[in-house]
Amino acid sequence: MDQDKRPPRIDAALLRGLTQPRLTRRAMLRAAGAGAGVAGVSALLAACGVSGTNQENENKAPTPGFWDSQKKAGLLNFANWPLYMDVEKVGGKETHPTLDQFTKETGIKVNYKEVIESNDTFLGKILPSLRAGQDTGWDLIVITNGPPLSRLLRQKFLIELDQSKLPNFSKNAGAAFKERDYDPGNKYTIPWQGGMTGIAYNPKFTKRELTSFEDLFDPKFKGKIGMFGDVNDAPNLTLAGLGIDPAKSTEADWKRAAAKLTEQRDKGLVRKYFDNSGEAQALASGDVWVSMAYSGDVFQLNAEKGREELKFIVPKEGAMLWTDNMCIPVKAQHPLDAITYMDYVYRPEVAGALAAYITYVTPVPAAKQAIEAEAAKASGEDKASLEDAAKSPFVFPKESDLANTHSYRELTPEEEKTWNRLFQPIFQS
């Protein structure tokens, strides 16, 4: 859209949700039981009929000229995660201002539902329709990079995007959010929000600054170290810590990483394996002094405390960058409406409104200036919240930090079996 023809800016009042206590998206996973561990997830997948990777089949990709024949329908069915959209209460009713603005500008009504509580359970619901060549009921979905998204890509269950319809993405997306290993050229996905998996610590207890992945193995912190007990974050961050690019790692590299984690466990260094949430609270209480952590979790806890109680670092060996990604499932009824919205959220003022509420890493660097402009006009708690978000390295990481992040290893079905055989026993015994 022509910059000069944009509608009035989004008011800062819609960002008030930032000051309200909220669960993190990862905490929501735990609350939903999705973080119950590998065994629990496997059982859930089996119940959903998702575990049979050997049953994978390929769907026919849309024919050439697909986008030329699409017309705006005026309706978008959008499936997203809980607490992943800006909120404002008007007259006791909860609204989503950026969605309302989108409808006002385009005439496209959004049927927005926060129905995704884990990638695998959501896929369990939509895969039968996809396999049958039927509409899932959703025009736009948000899936985290990793095995579930790889499965959708491998089976050609996503519509290839028309890049000419994504000018804001092309212009405003940060370099780290383009050309991701799991989807070169952003042919099928563009990021919604992201986050970093690195190391957090409480300087009150460590008594020194931490800079390295090896700090998770320091005998001085024996019994006070926290790790994620999963087969995604922990193995990939360990590969990075060993100086290996996780995305290009081999089976021999995986064995080295598994041996490193096993040695850490057997020496009694680990106080607790977290199921992808709760690490920030444990660090604040002193139950652990240093831990693997998500950047957004640390930001939110510090915001709740009103001070920078915990430190989050990208270790010198590198951290992991994960993204939740917008994509359009095949047979979607309103793909043009979906791609119109995908591009809309890459306008800086819209991205700023979303980032200030969600407080994970935004894929739009220019959102920082948009938030600062709103902060300059705000007052009281709104002003303080906006200023905190604009200067936060958790929402706007330094370019040097982003340049030192890695992508997760994409696994084939056969590789996934080997990977799980190596890493699952470490956390289950």
Side-chain angles (χ1 to χ4, degrees):
M1 174 177 287
D2 188 325
Q3 301 276 329
D4 296 330
K5 294 181 180 178
R6 283 178 181 169
R9 62 179 173 74
I10 297 168
D11 195 276
L14 65 87
L15 304 172
R16 287 178 184 138
L18 183 65
T19 63
Q20 300 171 0
R22 299 190 294 119
L23 287 173
T24 66
R25 187 170 89 59
R26 298 285 163 169
M28 284 299 296
L29 289 174
R30 185 185 187 193
V38 174
V41 170
S42 297
L44 192 58
L45 291 179
C48 295
V50 181
S51 63
T53 51
N54 291 332
Q55 299 173 7
E56 291 185 356
N57 53 6
E58 289 192 351
N59 192 53
K60 289 185 178 180
T63 57
F66 169 81
W67 284 105
D68 293 339
S69 64
Q70 299 305 311
K71 296 181 179 178
K72 187 177 81 172
L75 178 63
L76 168 62
N77 294 308
F78 182 8
N80 201 352
W81 298 73
L83 305 170
Y84 230 20
M85 182 65 71
D86 55 298
V87 173
E88 183 180 25
K89 282 196 173 180
V90 179
K93 183 180 179 182
E94 190 174 273
T95 67
H96 301 293
T98 58
L99 289 180
D100 295 341
Q101 185 66 30
F102 174 72
T103 299
K104 182 179 179 181
E105 290 181 31
T106 65
I108 299 172
K109 182 181 178 182
V110 183
N111 176 30
Y112 178 71
K113 301 293 183 182
E114 297 182 338
V115 295
I116 307 177
E117 293 184 338
S118 87
N119 292 291
D120 290 316
T121 52
F122 183 70
L123 255 61
K125 295 175 182 176
I126 66 173
L127 278 178
S129 296
L130 292 169
R131 286 173 176 151
Q134 300 173 348
D135 171 29
T136 66
W138 301 109
D139 303 308
L140 182 62
I141 60 179
V142 177
I143 303 294
T144 311
N145 63 294
L149 181 59
S150 296
R151 190 173 300 127
L152 289 174
L153 291 167
R154 194 166 55 237
Q155 295 183 265
K156 299 181 180 177
F157 283 152
L158 300 178
I159 291 177
E160 184 171 345
L161 303 175
D162 181 345
Q163 299 295 321
S164 72
K165 300 187 185 307
L166 297 168
N168 287 315
F169 169 75
S170 177
K171 178 181 178 182
N172 298 322
F177 295 90
K178 292 181 176 178
E179 298 293 338
R180 304 285 289 161
D181 290 341
Y182 54 85
D183 184 21
N186 297 96
K187 289 181 66 176
Y188 298 93
T189 68
I190 60 175
W192 169 252
Q193 304 289 310
M196 292 185 291
T197 304
I199 296 174
Y201 66 98
N202 191 331
K204 174 182 170 184
F205 299 109
T206 61
K207 308 294 186 186
R208 67 176 176 86
E209 291 187 0
L210 306 187
T211 60
S212 171
F213 174 76
E214 288 298 326
D215 288 315
L216 290 170
F217 301 82
D218 189 336
K220 293 179 182 176
F221 304 144
K222 182 177 181 179
K224 291 295 183 180
I225 295 170
M227 297 291 290
F228 287 152
D230 69 332
V231 294
N232 195 30
D233 286 302
N236 278 286
L237 186 66
T238 302
L239 286 164
L242 292 171
I244 301 164
D245 182 351
K248 300 176 182 176
S249 60
T250 66
E251 184 174 334
D253 297 327
W254 308 344
K255 290 178 179 177
R256 283 183 60 198
K260 180 80 171 177
L261 290 169
T262 300
E263 181 183 13
Q264 181 197 42
R265 180 200 63 190
D266 292 347
K267 286 184 175 179
L269 296 176
V270 179
R271 165 68 174 172
K272 186 174 183 179
Y273 290 104
F274 296 101
D275 52 4
N276 301 97
S277 67
E279 79 282 6
Q281 289 75 14
L283 285 162
S285 71
D287 190 32
V288 299
W289 296 354
V290 54
S291 179
M292 288 182 62
Y294 294 121
S295 55
D297 289 357
V298 176
F299 173 85
Q300 290 193 16
L301 186 136
N302 283 343
E304 291 168 12
K305 296 286 186 180
R307 61 183 182 278
E308 192 181 33
E309 185 168 288
L310 306 181
K311 299 282 188 180
F312 178 89
I313 63 165
V314 172
K316 62 183 181 182
E317 298 87 351
M320 302 307 301
L321 178 65
W322 54 265
T323 53
D324 291 327
N325 305 279
M326 294 181 284
C327 44
I328 305 172
V330 294
K331 304 298 180 182
Q333 294 299 296
H334 317 117
L336 186 58
D337 305 72
I339 200 169
T340 301
Y341 179 80
M342 293 167 78
D343 194 54
Y344 164 77
V345 299
Y346 273 83
R347 285 168 28 182
E349 77 278 13
V350 178
L354 292 170
Y357 181 82
I358 297 169
T359 66
Y360 273 87
V361 178
T362 175
V364 182
K368 181 181 179 72
Q369 287 71 43
I371 295 175
E372 289 173 339
E374 295 297 338
K377 301 166 188 170
S379 60
E381 287 188 352
D382 287 345
K383 185 179 184 68
S385 296
L386 289 165
E387 289 177 342
D388 285 346
K391 69 182 181 183
S392 171
F394 304 118
V395 181
F396 299 100
K398 294 185 293 186
E399 285 298 319
S400 58
D401 283 341
L402 283 174
N404 196 24
T405 59
H406 299 277
S407 296
Y408 292 78
R409 179 65 156 83
E410 298 297 318
L411 300 166
T412 67
E414 286 305 312
E415 287 176 334
E416 190 172 353
K417 293 177 184 175
T418 302
W419 177 281
N420 289 341
R421 177 171 50 78
L422 288 169
F423 291 109
Q424 281 182 0
I426 299 170
F427 313 115
Q428 292 179 334
S429 58

